[in-house]
Amino acid sequence: VRNYVTKRMKGENKSQVNNADLLSVMIEDKTAFNGNIEWMVDQLLDFFLAGTATVSLQSQSIIHRASVNQEQLAKLRKDIDASFKEDGTGIFEGMDYEKIMEMEYFSWYMQEAIRICPPAPLSSTFVMKRDATINGIEFKAGDSMQPNIWAIQHNPEQWQRPEEFIPERFDTDNKISLTPGGKKRDVGSYMPFLQGKRSCFGKTYAEI
């Protein structure tokens, strides 16, 4: 990886996607990376190794859930068959990220899989730079916190029957998409990739 990054920095290797790749962004960045090859290598390894492990485990979980629930599996197949057609070699023609994201039930299924069993149950640790009060809780500079994503996505105040695997809870027209009290769920009740400026920059990579 270090050898490849070095060659890209020297212009010996070229981007295959017109500089629209992650490494090109790092090379062009003059603030965080600023030509620091070791920092780029570290981030690339973290991105691919961490991403590959979590996606692999999540894929196994999804396949298992589909195999034990024939009704949900039939809905998945119907959604996929309606969106793609096989080209004769067993490979679906026209399959791309945008088309996949248009599949309604498939999207609900993926979101529910990540809700009930998030690939990273605990977030990385945050350290407070200064004293602050958040929702009535006082934090001092140097205090650390670690969001519990699993607990957030199983909060019984936000989710109906949180321990059950129900893809339809992501259908906004379905009553189960609401809280047990019948209200719209908080935006922060679902955050497998965190949110805001500290959201996981591998989100799209994981979804693909």
Side-chain angles (χ1 to χ4, degrees), residues 135-151:
N135 289 335
I137 302 175
E138 294 186 1
F139 294 92
K140 299 295 184 181
D143 284 350
S144 61
M145 66 176 75
Q146 187 175 32
N148 188 327
I149 296 174
W150 189 94

Side-chain angles (χ1 to χ4, degrees), residues 9 25-37 39-40:
M9 292 283 289
V25 174
M26 292 180 177
I27 292 174
E28 294 172 4
D29 181 81
K30 302 302 180 185
T31 54
F33 294 98
N34 196 28
N36 189 324
I37 292 178
W39 180 230
M40 294 181 195

Side-chain angles (χ1 to χ4, degrees), residues 95-108:
M95 181 178 289
D96 55 30
Y97 177 73
E98 288 74 18
K99 198 69 176 293
I100 291 174
M101 290 299 102
E102 292 175 1
M103 292 191 292
E104 191 172 59
Y105 187 80
F106 183 87
S107 177
W108 299 342

Side-chain angles (χ1 to χ4, degrees), residues 140-196:
K140 299 295 184 181
D143 284 350
S144 61
M145 66 176 75
Q146 187 175 32
N148 188 327
I149 296 174
W150 189 94
I152 290 171
Q153 296 183 170
H154 286 74
N155 182 357
E157 295 181 359
Q158 293 292 319
W159 303 91
Q160 299 182 48
R161 296 145 60 190
E163 302 308 319
E164 296 182 37
F165 188 85
I166 309 173
E168 287 80 4
R169 70 172 78 250
F170 286 93
D171 175 8
T172 54
D173 293 327
N174 196 309
K175 290 183 179 180
I176 201 168
S177 68
L178 303 175
T179 67
K183 298 181 179 180
K184 186 177 180 180
R185 291 195 308 266
D186 291 341
V187 175
S189 64
Y190 178 75
M191 48 187 296
F193 302 101
L194 295 184
Q195 295 176 346

Side-chain angles (χ1 to χ4, degrees), residues 10-174:
K10 293 179 179 180
E12 295 177 14
N13 287 335
K14 302 294 183 181
S15 168
Q16 301 299 310
V17 287
N18 298 319
N19 295 325
D21 56 87
L22 179 60
L23 180 56
S24 293
V25 174
M26 292 180 177
I27 292 174
E28 294 172 4
D29 181 81
K30 302 302 180 185
T31 54
F33 294 98
N34 196 28
N36 189 324
I37 292 178
E38 293 305 314
W39 180 230
M40 294 181 195
V41 171
D42 179 74
Q43 291 301 301
L44 288 172
L45 288 174
D46 183 58
F47 180 82
F48 288 111
L49 294 179
T52 300
T54 53
V55 170
S56 176
L57 289 173
Q58 193 63 43
S59 297
Q60 294 176 42
S61 174
I62 290 171
I63 292 172
H64 167 71
R65 291 186 184 281
S67 67
V68 298
N69 191 312
Q70 294 301 305
E71 181 181 350
Q72 292 178 353
L73 179 59
K75 291 180 180 179
L76 280 174
R77 285 176 170 168
K78 182 179 179 181
D79 205 16
I80 293 172
D81 289 343
S83 300
F84 303 102
K85 61 179 180 179
E86 290 190 9
D87 63 4
T89 64
I91 299 175
F92 287 106
E93 181 182 355
M95 181 178 289
D96 55 30
Y97 177 73
E98 288 74 18
K99 198 69 176 293
I100 291 174
M101 290 299 102
E102 292 175 1
M103 292 191 292
E104 191 172 59
Y105 187 80
F106 183 87
S107 177
W108 299 342
Y109 198 93
M110 295 299 107
Q111 291 179 79
E112 176 66 347
I114 297 174
R115 180 201 69 82
I116 201 167
C117 186
L122 294 174
S123 167
S124 54
T125 303
F126 295 84
V127 178
M128 301 296 292
K129 288 186 175 181
R130 58 180 181 274
D131 296 351
T133 300
I134 304 174
N135 289 335
I137 302 175
E138 294 186 1
F139 294 92
K140 299 295 184 181
D143 284 350
S144 61
M145 66 176 75
Q146 187 175 32
N148 188 327
I149 296 174
W150 189 94
I152 290 171
Q153 296 183 170
H154 286 74
N155 182 357
E157 295 181 359
Q158 293 292 319
W159 303 91
Q160 299 182 48
R161 296 145 60 190
E163 302 308 319
E164 296 182 37
F165 188 85
I166 309 173
E168 287 80 4
R169 70 172 78 250
F170 286 93
D171 175 8
T172 54
D173 293 327
N174 196 309

